[in-house]
């Protein structure tokens, strides 16, 4: 049994660490860390997280284990982290579809703006517009012309209502003023296979999900939703080049922790991700996935979050998008 003296000592030690961020930083991590990915295993966010956290574990001398808790556009996993102790031992690595898009589509079981403390943005993946190998369109403009000649005939393989791939497509449809038939699939892999098989004509997904299919010729990249062309997809024009400058979408990844996590721990995590991302062998593997390290200062998070939530909320309302 724990006696009163032991309990008071433990409470005193905890209070001392909370009052002394430097000590919290020096001691952290003293045991294994759980990193919740609120999406299924094998996806792009999961693949990135496992690569980076394995390296961070090596650098910091403790295990950073990935726990996939998926469902409800990433909000189930996010809710589990929001309820966790703010000690740095339960983290959330999530994407814009969860922290900026989902709160505009459903009632999330936490305060999206206040439930989390940020260790910073960590990576980005350009969104890519793709068609199957036999699709007649070879450019974004050709696709638009085809859709305008045949309103509602082109089929968009929707990887999930409210996902970043879905909303990137809706942004494109709005900018190009075209009508495309939306067919929902159960996740990105199913939507990709539908386009490969010719059941659907086009889809939008993060670059990391499709590099192998592009290399094999099963999918053809028509455009990237970024300011500059992607180095791994040099033949895919940007939407800016195609005359649709508003179609700018990145799958931004952020590392979050429960609100109240000590700043010293969050800063240490931010530096650890930056160091891991610069490791030559990891940098090469991330580039092959189409993932771009994008380590941002923690201080930028609140303004960034407010901007993205407002931006996607405006599109969702304009396009009357709802989760059935």
């Amino acid at each position: 049994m724990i006696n009163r003296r032991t309990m008071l000592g433990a409470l005193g030690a905890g209070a001392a660490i909370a009052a002394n961020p430097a000590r919290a930083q020096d001691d952290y991590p003293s045991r294994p860390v759980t990193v919740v990915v609120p999406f299924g295993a094998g996806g792009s966010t999961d693949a990135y997280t496992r690569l980076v956290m394995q390296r961070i574990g090596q650098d910091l001398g403790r295990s950073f284990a990935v726990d996939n808790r998926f469902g409800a556009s990433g909000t189930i996993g996010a809710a589990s982290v929001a309820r966790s102790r703010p000690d740095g031992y339960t983290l959330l690595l999530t994407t814009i579809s969860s922290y900026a898009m989902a709160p505009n589509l459903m009632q999330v079981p936490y305060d999206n703006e206040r439930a989390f403390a940020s260790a910073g943005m960590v990576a980005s993946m350009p969104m890519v517009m793709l068609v199957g190998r036999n699709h007649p369109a070879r450019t974004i403009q050709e696709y638009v012309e085809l859709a305008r000649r045949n309103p509602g005939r082109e089929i968009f393989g929707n990887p999930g209502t409210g996902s970043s791939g879905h909303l990137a497509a809706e942004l494109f449809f709005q900018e190009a003023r075209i009508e495309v038939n939306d067919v929902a699939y159960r996740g990105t892999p199913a939507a990709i296979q539908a386009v490969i098989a010719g059941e659907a004509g086009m889809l939008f997904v993060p670059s990391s999900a499709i590099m192998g299919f592009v290399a094999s010729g099963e999918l053809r990249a028509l455009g990237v939703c970024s300011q500059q062309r992607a180095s791994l997809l040099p033949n895919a024009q940007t939407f800016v080049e195609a005359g649709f400058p508003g179609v700018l979408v990145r799958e931004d990844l952020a590392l979050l922790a429960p609100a109240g996590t000590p700043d010293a721990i969050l800063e240490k995590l931010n530096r650890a991700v930056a160091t891991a991302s610069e490791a030559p062998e990891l940098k090469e593997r991330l580039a092959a996935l189409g993932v771009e390290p994008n380590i941002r200062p923690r201080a930028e998070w609140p303004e960034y979050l407010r901007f993205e939530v407002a931006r996607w909320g405006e599109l969702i309302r304009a396009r009357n998008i709802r989760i059935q």
Side-chain angles (χ1 to χ4, degrees):
M1 296 181 61
I2 299 175
N3 60 36
R4 185 171 181 272
R5 180 177 296 178
T6 301
M7 183 177 291
L8 289 174
L11 290 172
I17 291 175
N20 187 346
R23 178 178 172 182
Q25 182 180 20
D26 290 343
D27 291 347
Y28 179 84
S30 60
R31 63 179 190 271
V33 178
T34 296
V35 184
V36 173
V37 172
F39 307 104
S44 53
T45 304
D46 178 70
Y48 165 83
T49 306
R50 290 179 187 277
L51 284 172
V52 172
M53 292 304 157
Q54 181 181 29
R55 178 65 194 220
I56 290 177
Q58 294 171 1
D59 291 345
L60 298 185
R62 295 288 175 178
S63 168
F64 279 67
V66 175
D67 181 6
N68 298 96
R69 299 186 190 179
F70 53 92
S73 299
T75 61
I76 290 176
S80 72
V81 176
R83 295 190 297 265
S84 299
R85 292 185 60 176
D87 55 9
Y89 290 94
T90 304
L91 308 174
L92 175 69
L93 205 150
T94 190
T95 72
I96 195 169
S97 59
S98 175
Y99 60 72
M101 297 172 179
N104 287 296
L105 289 163
M106 65 183 74
Q107 191 73 33
V108 297
Y110 47 84
D111 186 325
N112 190 58
E113 190 170 327
R114 299 180 181 178
F116 303 101
S118 174
M121 302 292 300
V122 293
S124 296
M125 295 175 270
M127 295 297 297
V128 186
M129 176 186 178
L130 303 115
V131 295
R133 70 165 85 225
N134 296 321
H135 196 282
R138 298 281 166 172
T139 65
I140 297 170
Q141 294 94 329
E142 287 183 6
Y143 184 90
V144 171
E145 290 168 7
L146 187 64
R148 286 175 177 169
R149 286 198 305 268
N150 304 282
R153 292 282 300 277
E154 283 295 307
I155 297 175
F156 161 57
N158 184 345
T161 301
S163 66
S164 54
H166 174 207
L167 295 189
E170 292 285 355
L171 183 59
F172 169 52
F173 300 155
Q174 177 177 268
E175 289 278 315
R177 299 181 181 180
I178 56 176
E179 296 178 23
V180 176
N181 187 16
D182 182 323
V183 176
Y185 290 87
R186 295 178 67 85
T188 297
I192 289 173
Q193 290 304 319
V195 173
I196 290 174
E199 296 174 11
M202 177 273 292
L203 82 163
F204 280 75
V205 289
S207 55
S208 60
I210 47 80
M211 296 308 302
F213 299 109
V214 172
S216 69
E218 295 172 280
L219 293 176
R220 186 167 65 251
L222 295 190
V224 291
C225 306
S226 52
Q227 291 282 5
Q228 292 84 31
R229 294 197 179 197
S231 58
L232 291 176
L233 299 167
N235 295 323
Q237 64 183 164
T238 68
F239 283 84
V240 176
E241 292 175 301
F244 305 106
V247 185
L248 295 173
V249 187
R250 298 180 311 187
E251 183 81 308
D252 287 335
L253 277 63
L255 183 59
L256 307 177
T261 300
D263 286 345
I265 289 176
L266 297 170
E267 289 290 348
K268 187 169 189 176
L269 287 166
N270 184 276
R271 290 196 299 273
V273 176
T275 300
S277 300
E278 288 300 317
E281 71 282 2
L282 187 58
K283 205 169 184 179
E284 186 175 329
R285 295 182 71 180
L286 292 178
L289 280 174
V291 179
E292 302 171 354
N294 183 24
I295 316 300
R296 308 300 305 164
R298 293 177 49 242
E300 294 182 4
W301 174 254
E303 183 177 354
Y304 164 83
L305 179 63
R306 284 192 293 269
F307 176 83
E308 291 295 336
V309 170
R311 176 196 183 197
W312 294 110
E314 183 178 344
L315 177 72
I316 287 165
R317 289 187 293 273
R319 302 290 293 178
N320 194 29
I321 300 169
R322 298 179 182 179
I323 293 180
Q324 301 300 324

